[in-house]
Amino acid sequence: MARVVIDPVTRIEGHLRIETEVNGGRVTDAWSSGTMFRGIELILRGRDPREAWIWAQRICGVCTTVHALASVRAVENALGIDIPDNARLVRNIIAGAQNVQDHVIHFYHLHALDWVDVTLALKADPAKTSQLAQSISEWPKSSATYFKGVQDRVKALVASRQLSLFSSGDWGHPAYQLPPEANLLAVAHYIEALDMQRDFIRIHAVLGGKNPHLQTYLVGGMSTAIDGNEPEAVINPERITLFNELAARAKTFVQQVYVPDVLAVASFYKEWFGYGEGLGNFMAYGDFPSGSINDPSDFFFPRGVILGRDLATVHPVDPGKIAEYVTHSWYEYSVGDQASRRPAEGETSPKYSGPKPPYLVLDTDAKYSWLKSPRYDDKPMEVGPLARTLVAYASGDAQVKKSVDAVLAKFNAPPTVLFSTLGRIAARAIEADIMVEKLPEWIAQLDDNMAHGDVRIHNGDKWDPESWPKSCAGFGLEEAPRGSLGHWVEIENKKIVNYQCIVPSTWNAGPRDAHGQRGAYEAALLNTPIADPERPLEVLRTVHSFDPCLACAVHVVDGKGRSYGREAEAVPDSEGTTSLPADSAALYKAAVQGGL
Amino acid sequence: MNPARIAVLGLGNLMRTDDAVGMLAIQQLRADPRFPRCVSLIEGGTLGLDLLHPLDGVTHLLALDAIDAGATPGTLLRFAGDEIVDLPISKSVHLLGFSDLIGAARLTGRAPAEIVVLGVQPEIIGWGTQLTATAEGALAALVETAIAQVSRWTQEIERAQIDVLVPAGEPEPAVA
């Protein structure tokens, strides 16, 4: 038995460490540790709640914009503010675009290399790749000449030693199963997706003033001027045309490239419908209101909880049942560390008690993460695209049901296969597919409002703090690309006195609670097969399938390159069955030379 | 042939002491009357692939950053051509860094033809919003070398009469 450690897990956002116990070629236990502290909650105390979103948005540079939205919703909830219809639409368009762009980037740039061996793409026959491409999609870039060109570009990159993006793959690992042609197809689309995401997110640059970190939110609505007769207005007929063009291009890409690729890759890895199952409890706050944010029955993404893999029952969500433990987290509670606290009374009192770096393993019987352990009704929950898709499916959402059933029919499989690593990947693609259909509707509604002279985008009735009660509290819930996100705010004498965020990756990547219940990553890693403990690619597949996003802070890489590639260390147990890599220089050398 | 376009890209985290040197150089260049207005100045910060958009169409790229090459702190370092491979330059969210950005640009066929990286060996890169005196001293040299590099490029371009320089104009709001 050996403990296999991956730290840092790369091709994610932020800092994550995974420790697993491997026994007989399988993961028998797992621990997930967030290795950086996020202190935004403390920074927000004493500030004007109307500016909270500017600070909160800086929690993350990848899920940019999502914390701004959760924050303005929390403050609007506390102060009892309804936003105009145009603000609802602009927020939906921004969040919907973020959802699509994030899912595309995740599949191609953060996850694909767990399944695609770039070195094998160089061995592919471009003519056969062309046949494969044309058999799964109408996407026009599919000629043998095109794939030959892609292959030549990748060859040139390899020849120049500039592996760059591809330097951290486990090339040649026995768990790679795609034929060379499928690898070349995926690499070609990896490159095309770089252009697609760059083009599509201009929608944020226009509606947000810049991207990342959009600058146009306001408590009470948005600051994006809308005027059909004003060329200088952010939203005018010319801009509507641009949004429609961008949305149409994204739709074509998602439907002709992303979705067919996911299905094609999955068809070579069907056994991964059987791994990475996880908790079996799923939660979605729901999002994309059709009317008021206070009417979840009207949300485009429905709200609900699924317990114990039972798709026959969708339980309602009671935000009062959300609470967080710090039993295994580097914090302390005034009520003792065995108790849980609801976010409305949440505490952020960091108290690091872990080992002084560098260290080999964490004491996972004690505190071992900077993430807290959120629970719903005292149960751990998985959040994210799979949870949303399952809640929608179990709620009888016609569009989701049709998409999911089509995927299941293709694999001749029951809905239970969705509780898996591949299920998460498929759910993300299904969601993007549904979202690219919806975006043009919101754009059309905005255009329609403008055409009818409805240009109201901000409700300033309660902008003046003199109109606020002496004390009030509220929360803002949202479905970010990675899952259910909540901000809780308490306001007293016009200032924030407490602020708490529970982010999607805290639900998924959090540690055990006071009852010893595992978090979603920890549960999903159980029984994962490991072909080579020195290169635990299979662990990465399941962890990456959640699209991890840990609160970020950027660091300079040291000159010895220790942070270049993911480092896997097989740490010997008391019997010393595995050996430890000699030093960081050797690790770096191995990482670079073991590349292409 | 595409018109020549020069850009100077500052990288680094303003909250990590000497790591900020490239970003601060951009601010000084913007205020420097000698700096040609037709050259774009990009505050890249800690962005990774988000920088593909502002780099689109750039033919001559000068990147400024703190580089830990094991040299004496404050040393000015210059890298060009094949030397930029595997440079220990600021990594960003997703742990994708400058060489990944250039690799991605090359794969999409949109990489600048000319790339020069100017770096300063940092003394410390811990939390802090002020440069060390060592890096502060190197900042002036970094700015002067950047102006010299840009002048060399503008002269080369004029001499070769490749095409007129495209004015930077109003920068697009997008950084994506």
Side-chain angles (χ1 to χ4, degrees), chain A residues 101 194-203 205-206 210-212 246 249, chain B residues 5 7 9 40 42 47-58 101 104-105 108 110 170-176:
Chain A
Q101 195 225 16
L194 286 170
D195 273 336
M196 178 273 177
Q197 59 94 13
R198 179 182 59 77
D199 177 55
F200 180 52
I201 209 61
R202 288 163 63 202
I203 227 168
V206 173
K210 69 188 265 291
N211 182 69
L246 292 171
R249 283 205 289 273
Chain B
R5 206 183 123 201
L9 170 69
S40 313
I42 304 168
L47 296 174
L49 291 185
D50 285 338
L51 290 168
L52 278 176
H53 182 77
L55 290 193
D56 201 23
V58 170
L101 174 71
T108 58
R110 295 165 181 275
E170 283 300 303
E172 259 202 80
V175 183

Side-chain angles (χ1 to χ4, degrees), chain A residues 15 38 154 456 472 515 555:
Chain A
H15 298 71
R38 177 192 73 221
V154 177
R456 205 163 157 258
C472 58
H515 313 297
H555 62 149

Side-chain angles (χ1 to χ4, degrees), chain A residues 8-15 36 61-62 101 105 109-110 150 153-154 157 160-167 190-192 194-195 197-199 201-202 205-206 209-212 482 547 552-560 563-564 588 592, chain B residues 12-13 16 19 45-47 49-54 56 65-70 81-110 122 125 127 172-176:
Chain A
V9 175
T10 58
R11 276 188 269 120
I12 66 164
E13 202 289 323
H15 298 71
M36 287 218 63
V62 172
Q101 195 225 16
I105 289 178
H109 305 136
L110 305 179
V150 170
R153 260 188 280 167
V154 177
L157 192 80
S160 72
R161 280 180 54 243
Q162 289 174 333
L163 314 174
S164 62
L165 296 167
F166 300 145
S167 64
Y190 177 109
I191 297 167
E192 288 177 39
L194 286 170
D195 273 336
Q197 59 94 13
R198 179 182 59 77
D199 177 55
I201 209 61
R202 288 163 63 202
V206 173
K210 69 188 265 291
N211 182 69
R482 294 168 172 84
D547 193 3
C552 73
V554 176
H555 62 149
V556 163
V557 170
D558 79 53
K560 295 189 185 69
S563 295
Y564 263 110
Y588 174 51
V592 172
Chain B
N13 189 332
R16 300 303 291 256
D19 187 37
T46 54
L47 296 174
L49 291 185
D50 285 338
L51 290 168
L52 278 176
H53 182 77
D56 201 23
D65 196 7
I67 299 180
D68 185 0
D82 289 347
E83 295 166 345
I84 66 165
V85 181
D86 291 341
L87 268 187
I89 287 183
S90 297
K91 294 237 155 182
S92 70
V93 291
H94 288 322
L95 293 179
L96 293 172
F98 180 73
S99 57
D100 298 316
L101 174 71
I102 296 306
R106 288 210 165 114
L107 280 171
T108 58
R110 295 165 181 275
I125 50 162
W127 294 109
E172 259 202 80
V175 183

Side-chain angles (χ1 to χ4, degrees), chain A residues 326-344:
Chain A
V326 294
T327 319
H328 287 282
S329 316
W330 289 310
Y331 300 91
E332 58 185 354
Y333 276 169
S334 59
V335 291
D337 294 354
Q338 295 298 313
S340 66
R341 298 230 70 172
R342 293 191 301 159

